[in-house]
Amino acid sequence: MGRRMRDFRTGGMVKIGRGILGWAVSLMILVLFPAGAYSQEAPVGGGAEVAPSQVLLRYLVDRLQPESADLVLDRDPDASGRVGHFYVDLRGARLGGVRVERFCVEALDVEFNPVEEWQGPGEDPLEVRSVLQTYAEAVLQEEDINDDLFRKQVGEDDASWHHLRLDFSPQGIYASGYYHVDWIVSLNLFIELSGKLAIRSGREIWLEDYAFRINRLGVPDILAEQAVQKLQPILDLGRFFFPVKLKTLVLDDQRAHLASPVLPQAFDGAVKLHYRPEH
């Protein structure tokens, strides 16, 4: 059978409330909180002899902290780091702190660095040096985008925000909310942000054609640009160590779908490894 081509159906408005609005306006009013990174132990396999495929899966788990992972290879990587066919299906992985419901990548004719370097010193001892072709698909749940971005950029204990809302549609986004400040007098600022989401460089999600309004009045372009540019990109799938090239970004009423023109597909490889956290 031939490969399946992406056919997404758009629908409705996606209400994810607080995330991007929190990003943008937090910077405007200097309440930005930096987001930290963390890692966790991810036991995969065991015994004295660890196959290169097990090291590869462990690296993915350590780096992306998925809730589950499935790795399929046509064969175990040879000593030079080459593998002919690669597929990984990550559930609940974190890219730049954002939980991704599902992230699948299929790649052909992959050359990693030599296997003997994979467990060496440094933050990223394993790297992709070349790949013939890559197919990718990601699914982002609205609640994950909302919760993570709001937690990182506004702060879980910030009670100044209320009546926050973010609507997605095929035409773009509209975000609004009230922010309470106590300066010389007590004020409730009505904040609005509108714009469009777009894919750049095949892996980054950017906010484009944006506009700010405070109490229905437009914010000067230079201030809006300074604030929004510090947020860009909204999401960067380049944090995944495999090169990906996305083409489509489509929203429905619960999630965002990102995909290359051709979908990744699992195959019946000689090596099949699975990661499930120990409870």
Side-chain angles (χ1 to χ4, degrees):
M1 294 181 62
R3 289 187 173 274
R4 295 164 293 170
M5 303 301 291
R6 170 56 63 198
D7 180 16
F8 287 127
R9 292 179 297 174
T10 61
M13 300 288 282
V14 179
K15 295 179 173 59
I16 62 175
R18 302 172 295 187
I20 298 174
L21 181 66
W23 272 30
V25 183
S26 295
L27 284 165
M28 292 286 289
I29 57 181
L30 303 179
V31 293
L32 178 65
F33 288 81
Y38 63 95
S39 61
Q40 65 183 26
E41 288 293 322
V44 178
E49 293 293 330
V50 179
S53 55
Q54 292 177 307
V55 178
L56 176 58
L57 180 58
R58 178 178 297 161
Y59 177 82
L60 290 168
V61 170
D62 285 343
R63 182 177 176 126
L64 299 175
Q65 307 162 41
E67 295 159 8
S68 69
D70 298 297
L71 177 66
V72 181
L73 305 174
D74 63 333
R75 58 176 172 77
D76 221 46
D78 61 25
S80 69
R82 288 184 175 274
V83 63
H85 201 172
F86 169 102
Y87 175 85
V88 67
D89 185 344
L90 303 167
R91 304 294 183 108
R94 291 191 172 271
L95 296 174
V98 179
R99 181 183 179 275
V100 179
E101 177 70 14
R102 189 177 186 188
F103 188 35
C104 302
V105 174
E106 180 186 8
L108 305 176
D109 194 11
V110 183
E111 180 184 1
F112 298 99
N113 55 319
V115 169
E116 64 181 10
E117 301 175 2
W118 288 9
Q119 300 185 73
E123 182 178 352
D124 295 309
L126 197 157
E127 63 183 43
V128 177
R129 292 187 172 174
S130 68
V131 59
L132 177 64
Q133 185 63 268
T134 304
Y135 311 113
E137 179 182 21
V139 178
L140 306 173
Q141 295 278 15
E142 61 177 68
E143 60 191 82
D144 294 323
I145 300 173
N146 177 63
D147 292 345
D148 187 81
L149 297 183
F150 186 79
R151 174 181 55 80
K152 291 191 304 182
Q153 305 301 337
V154 176
E156 293 176 339
D157 299 325
D158 191 341
S160 301
W161 286 102
H162 58 99
H163 294 89
L164 289 154
R165 167 179 170 170
L166 177 61
D167 291 335
F168 275 33
S169 75
Q171 291 72 41
I173 67 167
Y174 171 77
S176 64
Y178 289 87
Y179 190 82
H180 181 80
V181 294
D182 286 307
W183 292 333
I184 299 176
V185 295
S186 181
L187 297 173
N188 273 317
L189 301 178
F190 181 56
I191 310 295
E192 296 174 281
L193 171 65
S194 60
K196 297 180 180 180
L197 295 180
I199 295 175
R200 290 191 184 182
S201 304
R203 59 184 176 83
E204 298 176 347
I205 310 304
W206 282 61
L207 182 63
E208 297 183 345
D209 299 330
Y210 49 82
F212 268 118
R213 288 177 294 278
I214 298 179
N215 290 344
R216 307 291 186 183
L217 298 176
V219 173
D221 289 345
I222 188 171
L223 295 180
E225 181 177 355
Q226 288 175 357
V228 174
Q229 289 304 314
K230 292 179 181 179
L231 308 177
Q232 309 279 31
I234 302 300
L235 179 67
D236 184 3
L237 292 177
R239 293 176 182 271
F240 180 62
F241 81 117
F242 240 95
V244 297
K245 197 75 171 179
L246 300 173
K247 180 71 173 180
T248 61
L249 187 163
V250 180
L251 304 172
D252 63 25
D253 60 351
Q254 292 183 333
R255 58 187 62 87
H257 299 265
L258 310 171
S260 55
V262 178
L263 288 174
Q265 293 189 60
F267 63 96
D268 188 19
V271 177
K272 297 179 182 179
L273 296 176
H274 311 282
Y275 166 75
R276 304 292 184 270
E278 297 179 352
H279 296 289

